[in-house]
Amino acid sequence: MTLLEKLLYQTQDVKVIPDSITSNQYIPLDLSVSNIQLAEESIGNTVAFEKYIEHYLSTNNSKVAYGGYNEERNLYKRSIIFKDDTTAERNMHIGLDLWIKAGTPILAALDGKVHSFKNNADLGDYGPTIILEHEIENQVFYTLYGHLSLESLEDLKIGAFFKKGQAIGTLGDASVNGDYSPHLHFQVIKNIANNLGDYPGVCSKKDLPFYLENCPDPNLLLKIKRQ
């Protein structure tokens, strides 16, 4: 483990979704290319995909489906932002997704200030996004919260401080969140470089080693246990 990874792992009681949803209501979800059942679903159709997620949660008596870090997905083939004629296809997911109903409050994982925010409105993108800056034992890093509601960005200011566990916004629906079934994309970033209100959450296989090093597994913080 790197020093930052150790610090993340040592940090306890981190939540980005309210405690009213208990740990036994979380269930892992495989959206990888190897999910044969998913291949039969119309992942290019937002309504059909949302029904797939809702059915999965209902069948498993759960409220939150989670997963996706370092996962190869076909989910992004419908959008040109993940592939053009000059770059390799981006299909490796480097954040952690929490699939839950739109309107769910989203909490600051740790004490931090608003680094930047933006509505990334293209098809397949994050939609409304907030990035917080944190510091633990002189280690500066960032957490990204993607697919929020438009209301989450209202009256927000750069430098605004949020306490750990304080609501920073709510989840958006497909009309604003990049045209996805409602979910939070949560990502940890070491070096954000010059990015503002945005940072790649999906990369190519060629660039995967860099992004895995720069974006540690968010579950080091959240510690969601598989059921």
Side-chain angles (χ1 to χ4, degrees):
M1 280 189 179
T2 65
L3 175 57
L4 177 58
E5 287 173 333
K6 289 178 181 177
L7 292 173
L8 297 177
Y9 184 73
Q10 292 167 4
T11 304
Q12 300 297 314
D13 301 320
V14 178
K15 300 284 186 181
V16 291
I17 290 175
D19 274 337
S20 56
I21 299 175
T22 58
S23 60
N24 63 359
Q25 294 176 299
Y26 285 67
I27 187 165
L29 174 64
D30 177 11
L31 294 180
S32 73
V33 295
S34 62
N35 184 339
I36 298 173
Q37 181 183 7
L38 182 62
E40 296 173 354
E41 300 294 325
S42 178
I43 60 174
N45 182 293
T46 305
V47 174
F49 186 61
E50 188 163 346
K51 287 181 179 177
Y52 173 83
I53 298 292
E54 290 175 349
H55 180 262
Y56 181 81
L57 289 170
S58 176
T59 300
N60 290 282
N61 194 29
S62 299
K63 298 290 186 183
V64 185
Y66 70 94
Y69 182 70
N70 192 18
E71 184 173 78
E72 181 180 358
R73 293 175 169 178
N74 287 325
L75 190 58
Y76 310 109
K77 292 184 181 295
R78 66 191 180 122
S79 175
I80 60 172
I81 69 171
F82 298 104
K83 179 71 174 76
D84 59 34
D85 294 335
T86 61
T87 59
E89 179 183 7
R90 294 193 295 131
N91 59 359
M92 299 300 302
H93 190 256
I94 48 174
L96 186 142
D97 285 338
L98 297 143
W99 303 83
I100 188 173
K101 290 183 178 181
T104 299
I106 299 302
L107 315 179
L110 302 162
D111 289 357
K113 62 183 179 181
V114 176
H115 168 269
S116 52
F117 57 93
K118 181 182 176 183
N119 183 14
N120 300 287
D122 289 338
L123 173 68
D125 213 328
Y126 288 130
T129 307
I130 297 174
I131 298 175
L132 299 183
E133 179 180 325
H134 313 278
E135 183 174 351
I136 300 178
E137 296 186 16
N138 298 317
Q139 292 286 306
V140 176
F141 62 99
Y142 308 85
T143 53
L144 181 151
Y145 308 77
H147 308 298
L148 304 177
S149 65
L150 287 172
E151 290 77 12
S152 302
L153 304 187
E154 290 181 359
D155 301 320
L156 195 61
K157 291 181 174 56
I158 303 298
F161 182 80
F162 286 95
K163 291 286 291 181
K164 176 183 176 182
Q166 183 178 352
I168 64 171
T170 56
L171 272 191
D173 61 22
S175 68
V176 300
N177 74 358
D179 197 41
Y180 290 102
S181 179
H183 70 289
L184 173 70
H185 175 98
F186 179 65
Q187 188 166 334
V188 178
I189 305 163
K190 291 182 184 178
N191 181 0
I192 203 165
N194 296 320
N195 293 280
L196 295 172
D198 192 13
Y199 189 86
V202 182
C203 71
S204 67
K205 290 180 182 177
K206 172 176 66 71
D207 294 331
L208 184 61
F210 166 80
Y211 282 104
L212 290 181
E213 193 280 330
N214 198 47
C215 300
D217 186 349
N219 208 33
L220 290 168
L221 260 180
L222 298 184
K223 300 172 182 63
I224 303 171
K225 292 183 171 58
R226 292 183 177 272
Q227 303 303 310

